[in-house]
Amino acid sequence: MTDETPTHDEAHSGDLGARLNWLRAAVLGANDGVVSTAGLVVGVAGATDSRSALLTAGLAGLLAGSLSMASGEYVSVSTQRDSEKAALAKEERELRTEPQAELAELAGLLEEQGLTSELALEVARQYTARDALRAHASIELGIDPDELSNPWHAAGASFLAFTVGALLPLLAIVLPPEVLRLPITVGSVLVALVLTGWGSARLGAAPVRPAILRNVAGGALAMAVTYGAGSLLGAAGV
């Protein structure tokens, strides 16, 4: 009989939640790249058969979209990081000027989580003795001081996700022969939308079928509208 020490490899809920948020953002960023670039190149395809025009439009859309996504994420996450740093600074001031009130507040928060008042106070004292700011940041603010939001990571991830998604319709519209461009592009885009809809639903623990249907319907509508507009402009000689 062997004596084995059990191991515990399960990810902590905070780490898992952060990882799922990044994965969900990547899936949604790729989905945006697929839909916006597909709508753009299909619209241009309705107006012209020129491969160079399609490539130019697709590349312009890819760069504009990816840079827009990256800058938007950078601004958003920078604001979040600034808010986190301000909250930590405020908490640090309060711990310095009102330590007893902060101890009572921490004990109250622990009591709300199910501890008895005596145990909550004792745990709060131990947390405070070890690292008061970290304890308040985690329990009161939900912030890890060592893992603040990184705007550069968010911007890079958004740029990459959008670019990967946008490459599919761009390559599908410029590589095949002229007669196959549109059906291959539409078909590959719809398949990609099925996959991103499935992925976003699974990551968000939501029903898969409605997510896929919404995703495919939205992408198909975008391509139909832009193709119709491009065809009208092409027929008018614009």
Side-chain angles (χ1 to χ4, degrees):
M1 181 175 180
T2 60
D3 183 16
E4 296 182 354
T5 302
T7 59
H8 181 69
D9 296 327
E10 182 180 352
H12 293 288
S13 59
D15 295 338
L16 180 60
R19 199 174 303 123
L20 288 177
N21 284 336
W22 278 104
L23 286 171
R24 191 178 301 117
V27 170
L28 295 176
N31 187 81
D32 287 344
V34 170
V35 174
S36 61
T37 307
L40 178 61
V41 296
V42 167
V44 174
T48 179
D49 295 328
S50 169
R51 191 186 302 270
S52 62
L54 292 170
L55 179 60
T56 301
L59 283 175
L62 184 154
L63 290 173
S66 59
L67 291 172
S68 174
M69 288 282 291
S71 62
E73 278 296 303
Y74 180 83
V75 170
S76 174
V77 177
S78 292
T79 301
Q80 179 182 340
R81 183 183 178 89
D82 290 344
S83 297
E84 291 171 346
K85 292 172 71 174
L88 289 172
K90 179 175 181 290
E91 199 63 38
E92 190 173 20
R93 285 195 305 272
E94 291 175 346
L95 284 168
R96 203 166 49 243
T97 58
E98 304 174 29
Q100 292 305 313
E102 289 298 300
L103 177 65
E105 182 182 29
L106 183 59
L109 292 171
L110 291 168
E111 191 173 349
E112 289 176 4
Q113 295 179 7
L115 301 183
T116 64
S117 57
E118 295 81 3
L119 182 57
L121 182 58
E122 177 59 28
V123 171
R125 284 175 176 151
Q126 292 190 27
Y127 276 159
T128 300
R130 182 179 303 169
D131 191 332
L133 180 60
R134 181 176 297 276
H136 279 267
S138 175
I139 297 171
E140 181 181 346
L141 305 175
I143 297 173
D144 183 346
D146 295 329
E147 296 291 338
L148 297 182
S149 304
N150 190 315
W152 289 108
H153 288 173
S158 295
F159 181 90
L160 182 60
F162 188 97
T163 299
V164 169
L167 281 173
L168 173 68
L170 175 58
L171 295 176
I173 203 74
V174 299
L175 293 182
E178 181 180 324
V179 69
L180 296 176
R181 284 177 188 165
L182 199 58
I184 288 178
T185 301
V186 171
S188 61
V189 165
L190 293 180
V191 170
L193 293 176
V194 169
L195 293 176
T196 55
W198 176 86
S200 62
R202 291 302 299 269
L203 290 170
V208 171
R209 183 183 174 85
I212 291 176
L213 290 176
R214 286 193 300 265
N215 220 28
V216 171
L221 179 62
M223 288 188 288
V225 170
T226 56
Y227 182 78
S231 297
L232 290 174
L233 291 173
V238 177

